[in-house]
């Protein structure tokens, strides 16, 4: 917080007091100054921290739990995910599918996912109508074709990962719960950017003229100054990572994500579509190719020939698709099989091919290298946000960000408590808010540019816009009530 805020607290100044009048009794016109922009940022940062910090704290703690999902999955679902012994020869997919269908004949065969590593099992994914958007995944030892178990999965995620994902995303409250995470993502970058501007300005004016004054807390400070120093210096170290989490979280949020989707459409930034129509075949009325690689059955009502899975996989391997792939049968006879790379760890692989299993030919292909830059950034950002892109290093980085954000929030609330008035006649449990009305003293050019910019942000990020408008309405109402009481 700024020196101005501390000065108000120390002198028990009521921020709602009207400005002093002129000698003739008329109210004085507030002087406009660019320094008032800082005072406005102080108030914005204060209320962003005070009101949004609970949402950020929940997001940080649930995100911290989610970063541990790879290890937790191996601990809880290790019998299904891992083989007992690594063999020398992998059995054909057709044999593994036959074993899975013998143990679980329900539903229809949706896709098969090859093992990520030599110690992992093959996943045979079944579309079962009573499971809704979930799937039944049968885990098969690729060396013995022995069924290791089954789990109800959600687009490849185990029940444990799905539970933690829902906790982080919507607190298990459905679409209504998603508002909490979008509030957190929408305001996180505001709090970070505002805090950086305030701290950099303060450090330049009051502390060492080197990076040390910005990056390291002041060990000589005590009380609220020491807490502020810890809060701000830690925030500087976390800033880039927190801005990344805010941006990537917004790309698949409920309302901001919809706006981002419009941007992708307008900028032609979507992933190239894979043409699954077989040459010479009459295409159906609806193109189901977009469902490829997502574990859906594509509308098929009966299992495809297991031998065709081997043919499709062999054709894809011959075309250079290595690593983990998902093999998906066509929706009907006029469509090709789809084999898609699903390697989310750097260097990622997302090539896809359409295969005519009758001839073994590749009829169409999309390459990761050909994806638009905006689509690449979005996809890589999501994998980084989920802790997958760089493996364990990614998980550690996210865990440190979550723990650091938790500490910054705790220090912020501690500052609020430390700044409380302690005089017997004016004591209070917490500190006063920064004074109201700084926007009236901002130069007109800043208002002319700032108001349209804020309106544009409110459109691009609807939850940010609505919550900001709500705050302004409540703040104005509270100010009006206080002015009446002091009149």
């Amino acid at each position: 917080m700024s020196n101005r805020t501390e000065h108000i607290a120390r002198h028990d100044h009521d921020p709602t007091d009207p400005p002093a009048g002129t000698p003739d009794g008329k109210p004085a016109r507030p002087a406009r100054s660019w320094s008032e922009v800082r005072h406005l940022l102080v108030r914005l940062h204060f209320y962003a921290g005070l009101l949004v910090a609970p949402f950020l704290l929940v997001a940080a703690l649930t995100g911290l739990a989610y970063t541990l999902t790879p290890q937790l999955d191996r601990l809880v679902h290790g019998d299904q995910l891992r083989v007992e012994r690594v063999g020398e020869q992998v059995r054909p997919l057709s044999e593994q599918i036959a074993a899975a269908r013998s143990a679980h004949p329900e539903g229809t065969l949706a896709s098969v996912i090859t093992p990520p590593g030599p110690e992992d099992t093959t996943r045979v994914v079944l579309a079962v109508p009573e499971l809704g958007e979930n799937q039944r995944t049968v885990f098969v030892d690729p060396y013995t074709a022995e069924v290791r178990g089954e789990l109800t999965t959600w687009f490849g995620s185990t029940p444990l990962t799905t539970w933690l994902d829902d906790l982080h995303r919507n607190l298990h409250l459905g679409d209504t719960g998603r508002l909490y995470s979008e509030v957190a993502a929408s305001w996180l970058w505001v709090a970070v950017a505002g805090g950086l501007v305030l701290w950099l300005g303060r450090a330049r004016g009051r502390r060492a003229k080197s990076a040390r004054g910005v990056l390291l807390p002041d060990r000589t400070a005590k009380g609220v100054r020491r807490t502020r120093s810890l809060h701000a210096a830690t925030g500087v170290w976390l800033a880039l990572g927190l801005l990344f989490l805010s941006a990537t979280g917004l790309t698949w949020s409920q309302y901001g994500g919809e706006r981002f989707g419009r941007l992708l459409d307008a900028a032609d930034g979507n992933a190239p579509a894979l043409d699954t129509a077989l040459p010479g075949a009459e295409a159906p009325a609806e193109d189901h190719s977009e469902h490829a690689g997502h574990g859906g059955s594509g509308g098929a009502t009966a299992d495809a020939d297991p031998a065709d899975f081997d043919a499709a996989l062999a054709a894809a391997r011959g075309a250079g698709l290595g690593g983990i792939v998902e093999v998906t049968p066509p929706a009907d006879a006029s469509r090709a099989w789809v084999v898609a790379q699903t390697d989310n760890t750097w260097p990622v692989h997302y090539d896809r091919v359409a295969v005519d299993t009758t001839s073994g030919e590749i009829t169409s292909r999309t390459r990761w290298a050909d994806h638009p830059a905006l689509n690449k950034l979005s996809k890589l950002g999501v994998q980084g946000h989920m802790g997958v892109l760089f493996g364990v290093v990614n998980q550690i980085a996210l865990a440190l960000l979550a723990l650091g954000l938790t500490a910054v929030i705790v220090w912020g609330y501690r500052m609020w408590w430390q700044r409380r008035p302690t005089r017997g006649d004016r004591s209070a449990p917490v500190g006063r808010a920064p004074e109201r009305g700084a926007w009236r003293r901002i130069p007109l050019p800043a208002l002319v540019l700032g108001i349209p910019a804020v309106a544009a942000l409110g459109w691009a990020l609807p939850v940010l816009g609505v919550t900001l408008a709500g705050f302004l309405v409540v703040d104005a109402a509270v100010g009006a009530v206080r002015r009446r009481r002091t009149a």
Side-chain angles (χ1 to χ4, degrees):
M1 294 304 157
S2 71
N3 286 336
R4 183 185 187 91
T5 304
E6 286 184 339
H7 178 81
I8 292 169
R10 286 198 303 268
H11 289 78
D12 293 329
H13 172 71
D14 188 345
T16 63
D17 288 344
T22 58
D24 60 1
K26 295 181 179 180
R29 177 176 296 180
R32 296 186 180 275
S33 170
W34 285 101
S35 64
E36 294 299 328
V37 175
R38 174 181 173 80
H39 300 150
L40 181 62
L41 283 177
V42 169
R43 186 168 174 81
L44 179 63
H45 187 71
F46 173 81
Y47 276 110
L50 179 64
L51 301 177
V52 183
F55 297 93
L56 293 173
L57 183 60
V58 172
L61 295 177
T62 57
L64 177 62
Y66 186 83
T67 61
L68 303 175
T69 51
Q71 290 74 26
L72 292 175
D73 269 344
R74 292 192 187 101
L75 181 65
V76 177
H77 303 302
D79 289 343
Q80 292 87 1
L81 299 176
R82 295 300 186 96
V83 300
E84 286 188 352
R85 185 178 61 85
V86 177
E88 297 181 358
Q89 187 68 33
V90 173
R91 308 292 285 272
L93 288 184
S94 56
E95 292 186 23
Q96 299 180 56
I97 294 170
R101 295 303 278 155
S102 176
H104 294 276
E106 68 276 10
T108 56
L109 183 56
S111 65
V112 174
I113 304 173
T114 61
E119 298 179 349
D120 300 311
T121 53
T122 300
R123 303 186 181 195
V124 179
V125 183
L126 308 178
V128 182
E130 52 265 32
L131 295 181
E133 65 176 4
N134 295 325
Q135 300 86 37
R136 177 157 296 145
T137 299
V138 184
F139 299 85
V140 182
D141 187 323
Y143 305 105
T144 64
E146 174 190 358
V147 173
R148 300 281 297 165
E150 59 85 23
L151 294 172
T152 298
T153 57
W154 183 70
F155 297 108
S157 297
T158 67
L160 175 61
T161 296
T162 302
W163 192 90
L164 289 173
D165 176 68
D166 282 344
L167 180 67
H168 179 61
R169 195 157 49 104
N170 58 36
L171 301 178
H172 296 284
L173 297 176
D175 286 342
T176 302
R178 291 184 67 182
L179 288 173
Y180 114 84
S181 58
E182 188 158 359
V183 167
S186 297
W187 279 95
L188 177 57
W189 71 270
V190 177
V192 171
L196 280 175
V197 171
L198 293 173
W199 182 242
L200 291 175
R202 181 182 181 84
R204 185 177 63 249
R206 285 196 160 249
R207 297 193 60 202
K209 297 180 180 179
S210 66
R212 181 182 180 85
V214 175
L215 300 176
L216 298 178
D218 186 356
R219 295 182 180 180
T220 63
K222 295 182 179 180
V224 67
R225 294 179 182 275
R226 178 178 176 82
T227 306
R228 182 195 299 111
S229 182
L230 290 167
H231 172 87
T234 305
V236 170
W237 284 98
L238 300 176
L240 191 60
L242 295 179
L243 291 173
F244 167 79
L245 291 179
S246 177
T248 53
L250 285 169
T251 59
W252 80 84
S253 62
Q254 189 170 8
Y255 298 103
E258 188 270 338
R259 294 286 199 269
F260 182 71
R262 291 190 195 181
L263 173 63
L264 287 178
D265 293 339
D268 195 20
N270 290 300
L274 181 69
D275 183 8
T276 60
L278 290 174
E282 183 178 352
E286 182 179 358
D287 186 0
H288 296 278
S289 62
E290 289 300 317
H291 296 288
H294 294 284
S297 62
T301 57
D303 281 0
D305 185 351
D308 284 340
F309 280 87
D310 290 313
L313 180 62
R317 295 301 193 203
L321 270 68
I324 177 174
V325 297
E326 182 171 11
V327 184
T328 305
D332 53 60
S334 68
R335 296 286 168 178
W337 287 65
V338 174
V339 183
Q341 290 179 311
T342 58
D343 187 357
N344 297 317
T345 303
W346 187 265
V348 298
H349 299 93
Y350 294 124
D351 285 11
R352 297 194 302 164
V353 294
V355 181
D356 182 353
T357 55
T358 302
S359 63
E361 294 182 357
I362 303 296
T363 61
S364 180
R365 179 168 187 160
T366 62
R367 291 176 172 82
W368 170 243
D370 298 331
H371 284 224
L374 195 58
N375 177 265
K376 286 183 178 180
L377 289 173
S378 173
K379 196 171 185 67
L380 293 176
V382 168
Q383 298 307 322
H385 189 114
M386 296 174 67
V388 175
L389 187 59
F390 298 110
V392 175
V393 173
N394 203 156
Q395 290 180 264
I396 294 173
L398 289 178
L400 291 175
L401 283 172
L403 292 172
L405 179 57
T406 300
V408 167
I409 291 170
V410 171
W411 284 323
Y413 278 115
R414 179 171 172 78
M415 277 192 294
W416 187 33
W417 176 78
Q418 288 176 317
R419 288 181 51 252
R420 72 197 186 282
T422 56
R423 278 174 42 181
D425 58 335
R426 301 293 295 275
S427 64
V430 292
R432 292 182 182 274
E435 68 174 326
R436 181 184 286 107
W439 68 272
R440 296 189 185 97
R441 301 184 293 273
I442 292 177
L444 288 177
L447 287 177
V448 170
L449 295 175
I451 292 176
V454 171
L457 273 175
W459 179 88
L461 305 174
V463 171
L464 175 65
V466 170
T467 51
L468 177 59
F471 160 70
L472 293 176
V473 169
V474 172
D475 188 55
V478 171
V481 170
R482 289 184 174 178
R483 283 193 296 272
R484 284 185 181 180
R485 290 178 178 178
T486 57

